[in-house]
Amino acid sequence: MADPTDRSAAMADPARYYKSLPPISKAYGTLCFFTTVLVQLHILDDHFLILYYPWVFKKFEVWRLFTSFFFLGPFSINFGIRLLMIARYGVMLEKGAFDKRTADFLWAMIFGAISLLVVSVIPIFNTYALGIPMVSMLVYVWSRENPNAQINIYGLVQLRAFYLPWVMLLLDMIFGSSLKPGLLGIMVGHLYYFFSVLHPLATGKNYLKTPKWVYPFTRSWPKHSLSVCIYN
């Protein structure tokens, strides 16, 4: 679990805490939050954001390939949970397993986004909003990187982090949400983890090395220390 002093700092000085967040998780969470705010204020229409391939290819509405990742749905319990997942597990992943590897973390998200776009072409896996699958992917990768970390679910149940993605699916079912987005995220998360960690360990070959063109995007971003992320 994260150090409780981090949560206390966030409550005491939210602006300072926000500035201390790693760049990719901060940018992604911020975009998701303000996208929903704009939709709630009727400044943006959610139909303008969703992924619908006939409109992408026939009407050349290519922005949908990007905006579909930033919509987590309207303000609701599910929206709050997903935003919390980014703020907690996305941040811990970026500051933990990807500490001082900002380009690698960016590449992980790019790979995840491309994989989700490809999988979404298949009719049975088609989904209009890819934000929830992306968050599910981040949670899955974090759970594999920290399988023995102890987490609390609403202060009621304590379990190993390895089971967190599956607990999130159970919560989706309890709240009446579709299981498809969460399952897609787990599938793509496992695909990334297999080719970036498991396969290299077994064969010594890494087919998911971060491309050189990714590094210039992160060169000026600050590096973060692992010291802010502590597990029990």
Side-chain angles (χ1 to χ4, degrees):
M1 294 175 59
D3 189 343
T5 58
D6 292 339
R7 295 195 290 272
S8 299
M11 295 176 64
D13 193 345
R16 185 175 180 181
Y17 173 76
Y18 178 77
K19 289 182 66 176
S20 74
L21 295 176
I24 298 175
S25 298
K26 177 166 66 175
Y28 184 57
T30 301
L31 284 168
C32 289
F33 175 76
F34 280 108
T35 297
T36 292
V37 168
L38 293 175
V39 170
Q40 290 294 125
L41 294 175
H42 303 291
I43 296 173
L44 272 181
D45 188 335
D46 56 357
H47 288 88
F48 182 80
L49 306 171
I50 62 173
L51 178 63
Y52 186 57
Y53 278 112
W55 291 347
V56 172
F57 295 120
K58 294 180 180 179
K59 297 184 179 181
F60 303 104
E61 296 179 354
V62 294
W63 66 80
R64 297 177 183 276
L65 299 174
F66 303 94
T67 58
S68 59
F69 288 98
F70 303 129
F71 186 54
L72 300 177
F75 283 134
S76 63
I77 293 176
N78 283 334
F79 168 78
I81 290 174
R82 267 22 185 232
L83 202 62
L84 180 62
M85 295 296 101
I86 299 172
R88 185 170 187 180
Y89 299 109
V91 167
M92 288 199 295
L93 183 61
E94 189 171 354
K95 288 183 174 181
F98 289 91
D99 182 45
K100 299 181 181 179
R101 296 170 52 212
T102 305
D104 293 339
F105 188 65
L106 178 60
W107 173 239
M109 294 198 69
I110 292 173
F111 173 83
I114 294 173
S115 299
L116 287 170
L117 288 171
V118 171
V119 172
S120 293
V121 175
I122 304 171
I124 193 175
F125 293 129
N126 181 256
T127 184
Y128 297 122
L130 297 178
I132 291 177
M134 177 61 79
V135 174
S136 180
M137 175 203 166
L138 293 176
V139 171
Y140 180 85
V141 174
W142 178 83
S143 73
R144 293 303 302 268
E145 291 285 357
N146 305 276
N148 295 314
Q150 295 295 313
I151 60 173
N152 278 307
I153 304 297
Y154 300 124
L156 300 175
V157 180
Q158 189 170 24
L159 70 159
R160 290 172 54 208
F162 180 83
Y163 301 107
L164 178 60
W166 309 105
V167 172
M168 295 305 300
L169 283 181
L170 178 62
L171 290 176
D172 283 340
M173 185 173 66
I174 292 173
F175 288 126
S177 301
S178 171
L179 299 182
K180 186 191 297 184
L183 284 172
L184 286 177
I186 289 174
M187 288 169 52
V188 170
H190 184 73
L191 187 67
Y192 171 79
Y193 190 76
F194 176 81
F195 283 109
S196 67
V197 178
L198 300 180
H199 189 265
L201 285 175
T203 66
K205 299 178 181 179
N206 186 356
Y207 296 114
L208 273 186
K209 285 184 178 179
T210 303
K212 292 182 179 179
W213 58 264
V214 176
Y215 288 93
F217 291 101
T218 64
R219 201 163 285 157
S220 61
W221 293 351
K223 309 300 181 199
H224 291 267
S225 171
L226 183 62
S227 61
V228 297
C229 187
I230 301 175
Y231 304 105
N232 290 332

